Amino acid sequence: MSLVKILNVNILNPTASFLAPYKFEITFECIEQLKDDLEFKLIYVWSAKSSTLDQELDSLLVGPVPMGINKFVFEADAPDVSKIPKEDLLDVSVILLTCSYMEKMFTRIGYYVNNAYTDGEMQAAPPATPQLDKVQRSILADKPRVTQFAINWDDPTQEEQPPVESVEAMMAGESDGELDNDDEDDELDEDEELEEDDVDGDEDLDETE
């Protein structure tokens, strides 16, 4: 049984400029006192060829984590475009939110991201040099791909179970767009009213009553 469950991820700016930072409001529940911090990461995936091409946009340690329901905002800069070939800047990419405990990932949530010009003429005839200030990104926030990993919370050094779906499958378009869990399909509920505790991390967290 997982000691931490992601209850909701609210993407605060699902439609924004390509160069705008990502802002994720994350709500999670901890059912038992943890010995160590949780680590959250945002990863930008633009190629299915190799995970070595992925860009880690930012990471955040959250802790000590109190038992109960907690909420915070995770913000990360846009990807470094100098590391992405021009021909791969537009069209579909993937943004991953991962959560780990003692360096073992137990939840991964993936979203498709569509990058396109808002100007019709540029859509029909894209400029040879991308004009990123005119590119809009749209995150498919209502279609998250959630993969749960079983870890041993008492001894996280043990190997976790493999994920049901690989990131490469997402990039190849082999995903059906529905939630995909090892244990059960569990849609992220954006309408659920929650009571939250504050948690301390490496960045400022939103305070809630």
Side-chain angles (χ1 to χ4, degrees):
M1 179 180 66
S2 179
L3 300 186
V4 176
K5 181 179 181 181
I6 307 298
L7 298 178
N8 183 48
V9 177
N10 180 23
I11 301 177
L12 301 180
N13 56 347
T15 301
S17 166
F18 181 92
L19 299 174
Y22 290 81
K23 297 180 181 180
F24 284 52
E25 183 183 70
I26 302 166
T27 304
F28 67 93
E29 182 178 20
C30 181
I31 65 172
E32 189 175 305
Q33 190 70 40
L34 301 179
K35 300 176 183 178
D36 206 347
D37 296 343
L38 297 174
E39 183 177 27
F40 291 83
K41 293 182 180 181
L42 273 177
I43 300 169
Y44 188 79
V45 182
W46 58 267
S47 173
K49 296 178 180 179
S50 173
S51 61
T52 60
L53 300 174
D54 298 349
Q55 285 193 41
E56 182 179 313
L57 304 184
D58 205 350
S59 63
L60 172 66
L61 291 175
V62 175
V65 179
M67 292 177 58
I69 296 174
N70 307 273
K71 179 189 289 186
F72 68 98
V73 174
F74 187 8
E75 183 172 336
D77 291 336
D80 182 352
V81 297
S82 68
K83 298 179 180 179
I84 304 175
K86 294 180 180 179
E87 60 271 19
D88 292 314
L89 285 171
L90 301 179
D91 297 327
V92 177
S93 58
V94 168
I95 187 77
L96 298 177
L97 171 67
T98 68
C99 187
S100 302
Y101 179 65
M102 297 181 70
E103 301 185 353
K104 289 295 183 180
M105 181 166 55
F106 60 88
T107 299
R108 184 184 69 201
I109 305 174
Y111 298 89
Y112 291 105
V113 183
N114 186 49
N115 303 302
Y117 287 108
T118 55
D119 181 87
E121 293 184 1
M122 287 186 169
Q123 291 177 3
T129 300
Q131 299 183 27
L132 296 178
D133 59 330
K134 300 183 183 302
V135 174
Q136 178 178 277
R137 71 159 188 256
S138 298
I139 303 175
L140 299 185
D142 60 339
K143 294 185 179 297
R145 300 289 302 187
V146 181
T147 305
Q148 306 286 359
F149 300 80
I151 68 171
N152 185 319
W153 292 84
D154 293 323
D155 183 12
T157 58
Q158 294 188 14
E159 291 298 320
E160 69 267 17
Q161 295 179 2
V164 172
E165 179 190 41
S166 67
V167 178
E168 289 76 12
M170 285 189 68
M171 291 296 292
E174 297 170 4
S175 167
D176 59 11
E178 297 179 353
L179 294 175
D180 195 356
N181 300 291
D182 284 354
D183 300 326
E184 58 180 350
D185 285 349
D186 202 3
E187 288 198 2
L188 299 176
D189 187 1
E190 296 186 359
D191 299 322
E192 185 178 2
E193 295 183 359
L194 304 171
E195 295 181 357
E196 303 89 10
D197 293 323
D198 295 331
V199 292
D200 296 325
D202 288 348
E203 297 181 2
D204 292 334
L205 307 180
D206 277 4
E207 294 186 357
T208 59
E209 298 295 334

